[in-house]
Structures are given as C-alpha cells and as structure tokens.
Amino acid sequence: MKLPTLAAIATILLAGAPAYAFRCGDKLVDEGDTRTEVRSKCGEPVEIIRKSILRAPVYWWRGRPIRIGTELVEVPVEIWLYNFGPDKLMRRLRFEDGELVDIETLGYGY
C-alpha cells in the first residue's frame, strides 16, 4: 500500500472512535460507563483513590445544566489507574457517583 492510502485508512479508523474513549483488548471503554462495566472490560485497576466532592444539584434540560436549590450535595469520586505495561499508555479514569466522567491518557506504563 502507498503512504497516502495508509494515512486515509488511519484517519478513518481514528475518526470512528470518540476521543474520550479507549480500548481494553477488543472492548471499548467510554465516558458514561459504570464502574462495573469498566471492571468487566479492563479488569482490576492497579490503584483506586476514593474521595468526595461537594456540588450543587444539577438538572440537565436540553443539554444545559440547571441548578436546583442552593445546598451542596456530597458526590463520591473514584480515580482509577490502569497500567497496561511498558509498551502501552496508562489511563487515569475518574468516576463521579459511579459513572465514568473523564479519561486521561498518561505516559507509558512500567
């Protein structure tokens, strides 16, 4: 294959997966997944950090957040670290209230 053809194929493949998702083997991990879904796709993380944050309650209407009241509610947060070895990039996943909300790509594993 010529280089332009390979570049076109790579572009199509990369465009098919959202930027906020990654693969564990042949399974896709995506924002919105639950802890159980991620654990079944990727196995146990090498590290879990648990904490909580205070946030105003929000109701989403037509894609926009609407605050409900003035009191803050406690939201459980977990940070999971996956190390897939020295040939692959590590991932840091942030769960809020049991739902995956952020995927961060780190350097190569160890």
Side-chain angles (χ1 to χ4, degrees):
M1 279 190 181
K2 295 183 179 182
L3 189 56
T5 306
L6 289 174
I9 292 172
T11 302
I12 291 169
L13 290 175
L14 289 174
Y20 49 84
F22 73 98
R23 292 202 175 278
C24 277
D26 63 344
K27 297 178 174 77
L28 188 66
V29 174
D30 197 357
E31 288 181 3
D33 286 355
T34 64
R35 291 180 305 213
T36 304
E37 290 171 329
V38 173
R39 190 175 273 124
S40 71
K41 294 174 185 177
C42 299
E44 290 295 321
V46 295
E47 180 181 3
I48 298 176
I49 299 170
R50 291 179 176 89
K51 59 182 180 177
S52 61
I53 58 173
L54 296 176
R55 180 179 9 189
V58 173
Y59 171 76
W60 288 87
W61 187 68
R62 294 187 179 183
R64 295 186 177 169
I66 299 172
R67 289 184 147 198
I68 302 171
T70 57
E71 293 188 25
L72 300 177
V73 294
E74 186 174 2
V75 178
V77 175
E78 288 186 7
I79 309 293
W80 289 14
L81 177 67
Y82 278 99
N83 179 0
F84 299 111
D87 297 331
K88 296 192 178 183
L89 297 171
M90 296 188 297
R91 307 292 179 160
R92 183 181 298 138
L93 311 180
R94 178 185 174 96
F95 293 88
E96 291 182 6
D97 206 17
E99 182 180 315
L100 182 57
V101 295
D102 188 43
I103 300 170
E104 184 179 357
T105 302
L106 306 174
Y108 284 96
Y110 49 89

